[in-house]
Amino acid sequence: MARVLHNLLLFLIRLAQKIRVLGYWSLIYGYCALCTIVALLKLWWNIILRPTTTFQWVIRETPPACLNDTSLGTHCYVRIKESGLRFHYVAAGERGKPLMLFLHGFPEFWFSWRYQLREFKSEFRVVAIDMRGYGESDLPLSTESYRFEYLVTDVKDIGYNRCCLVGHDWGGTIAWLFAIHYPEMVTKLIVLNCPHPSVFTDYALRHPSQLLKSSHFFFFQLPRFPELMLSINDFKALKALFTSRSTGIGRKGRWLTPGALTGALNYYRNVFSSLPLSQNHVRSPVLLLWGERDTFLEQEMAEACRLYIRNHFRLNIISGASHWLQQDQPDIVNTLIWTFLKEGEGRKSYRN
């Protein structure tokens, strides 16, 4: 009898787990379907009811002059042995100085760090890379190539011993994960508008408002259709991220050149299937900068990150700043970074 009850209990546990998994993926793909319907309605409205709208793709064979501005640094390439991929980066400052490594987010590339490259090259060897699938870095085609473990390994294998690591948006997620798994390589961690991965997961599951703000996560799970929606009308949807009143950069002189879309979207397409963190605490000193006008992330998550820091933690909420705060409020961002860098450890601790 005891054996029968034991087997029945195991069966019920396994059934509950399967139901939970089924419910999880049903929620994800159900939300994907809802987002697709909304996107199709918008497309139908623009093309059928507003026939003046046309499909446009603009090919720019000559890059804008600002990308070749020598004051920003030197364009370089490195091939990583582990993956065989070639990465493009822009570097400035003297070799041998402490390394400050910048990781951009979606849908950007190295240029989003232009204000920081100029600012910190006097004291650091500053390097802003094009992440896998962006800009002039290699673009693997398979979705599997953008799993978190590969993205973190890219950062590890670029070629250095230690660095001050700076990340924004998706670059912030990779920076958090890198600091968790390779703490000996991170002297200080600086993250802009990106919560600790565990904070984001826990908060999003408990707050429908954040799920709504993250609806693009679900829409981007679809193959090909997001690429179409983001690229029509000369990438109008992407430009709106940077220029609209609700989500855009608050500064004048805004500029955008989107890269290949599939690689960038593949970051999102692996987010639900990635393995959970084996351990999730950060042992490096952490500065978290947060734009008050961020419309993609709830501000409450910023303070919650404190629970996962086993070292000095500083949080600064920048009033009036958008999600793109390193471009939106570069002077304030740079000042706060300098203050953080001068706290605690001396400059010698940054040496490679």
Side-chain angles (χ1 to χ4, degrees):
M1 184 65 180
R3 185 176 182 82
V4 173
L5 291 175
H6 176 73
N7 291 337
L8 179 60
L9 181 61
L10 287 178
F11 171 77
L12 292 175
I13 292 174
R14 291 170 182 169
L15 180 61
Q17 290 175 339
K18 290 182 179 180
I19 292 175
R20 182 179 179 182
V21 171
L22 180 62
Y24 172 74
W25 287 107
S26 296
L27 174 64
I28 290 175
Y29 286 109
Y31 204 0
C32 287
L34 178 61
C35 293
T36 303
I37 292 172
V38 172
L40 284 171
L41 288 174
K42 289 181 179 179
L43 184 64
W44 176 73
W45 170 264
N46 286 329
I47 295 177
I48 305 300
L49 299 185
R50 297 171 63 188
T52 56
T53 301
T54 58
F55 289 89
Q56 302 174 37
W57 282 270
V58 175
I59 299 176
R60 299 176 177 87
E61 297 190 4
T62 303
C66 57
L67 295 185
N68 295 317
D69 185 348
T70 56
S71 69
L72 296 177
T74 304
H75 291 258
C76 310
Y77 297 86
V78 60
R79 189 171 298 277
I80 296 178
K81 293 182 179 180
E82 179 73 19
S83 63
L85 298 178
R86 190 183 75 157
F87 285 80
H88 168 258
Y89 65 92
V90 172
E94 296 179 13
R95 293 182 181 273
K97 285 187 175 181
L99 175 64
M100 182 178 287
L101 183 62
F102 295 94
L103 309 178
H104 66 80
F106 173 90
E108 302 173 285
F109 63 128
W110 71 267
F111 190 73
S112 67
W113 298 111
R114 58 197 178 278
Y115 299 108
Q116 289 68 46
L117 289 172
R118 288 196 183 102
E119 177 71 20
F120 295 100
K121 67 181 181 181
S122 61
E123 295 287 340
F124 292 87
R125 174 67 171 175
V126 289
V127 174
I129 68 172
D130 283 342
M131 304 285 281
R132 177 187 293 224
Y134 284 93
E136 295 185 49
S137 292
D138 283 349
L139 194 158
L141 296 179
S142 69
T143 302
E144 186 72 17
S145 297
Y146 295 83
R147 293 181 63 87
F148 284 154
E149 54 263 41
Y150 300 142
L151 302 175
V152 171
T153 301
D154 288 342
V155 179
K156 178 177 71 73
D157 291 343
I158 288 175
Y160 59 96
N161 295 322
R162 304 183 78 196
C163 73
C164 173
L165 188 59
V166 187
H168 169 252
D169 189 76
W170 263 109
T173 298
I174 305 306
W176 281 113
L177 294 173
F178 185 83
I180 289 169
H181 291 289
Y182 301 100
E184 71 283 357
M185 298 182 69
V186 181
T187 55
K188 287 194 174 184
L189 176 65
I190 301 171
V191 179
L192 291 75
N193 276 77
C194 179
H196 185 286
S198 294
V199 170
F200 179 81
T201 301
D202 295 341
Y203 189 91
L205 291 176
R206 292 185 288 106
H207 294 81
S209 59
Q210 182 56 55
L211 278 179
L212 289 174
K213 289 185 175 183
S214 302
S215 59
H216 57 288
F217 277 63
F218 299 89
F219 175 58
F220 291 163
Q221 302 306 308
L222 301 171
R224 299 184 182 179
F225 187 62
E227 283 90 331
L228 171 65
M229 293 299 297
L230 291 175
S231 62
I232 61 174
N233 296 325
D234 192 20
F235 299 94
K236 182 179 180 181
L238 282 181
K239 289 180 179 179
L241 289 177
F242 293 89
T243 60
S244 70
R245 291 185 178 181
S246 60
T247 66
I249 299 172
R251 293 171 54 86
K252 295 182 179 180
R254 295 163 296 202
W255 184 85
L256 169 67
T257 296
L261 288 174
T262 300
L265 293 174
N266 281 340
Y267 281 67
Y268 290 92
R269 288 166 178 158
N270 278 285
V271 70
F272 295 113
S273 58
S274 295
L275 296 175
L277 298 176
S278 56
Q279 53 94 10
N280 52 16
H281 290 103
V282 176
R283 296 196 288 275
S284 306
V286 176
L287 169 64
L288 179 59
L289 301 179
W290 204 274
E292 183 187 38
R293 290 197 305 110
D294 192 326
T295 58
F296 304 105
L297 298 166
E298 295 281 356
Q299 187 173 308
E300 288 80 2
M301 287 189 288
E303 183 62 38
C305 293
R306 189 182 303 272
L307 299 173
Y308 295 92
I309 312 302
R310 292 292 180 263
N311 205 313
H312 173 62
F313 175 67
R314 172 184 285 272
L315 169 64
N316 290 108
I317 308 295
I318 301 179
S319 177
S322 68
H323 179 76
W324 324 99
L325 69 171
Q326 77 271 27
Q327 303 176 71
D328 195 354
Q329 303 284 351
D331 293 338
I332 295 176
V333 167
N334 293 345
T335 298
L336 292 172
I337 291 177
W338 275 125
T339 301
F340 175 70
L341 292 174
K342 294 175 182 178
E343 291 175 343
E345 301 179 40
R347 293 301 175 99
K348 290 183 180 180
S349 64
Y350 293 98
R351 296 290 175 183
N352 292 325

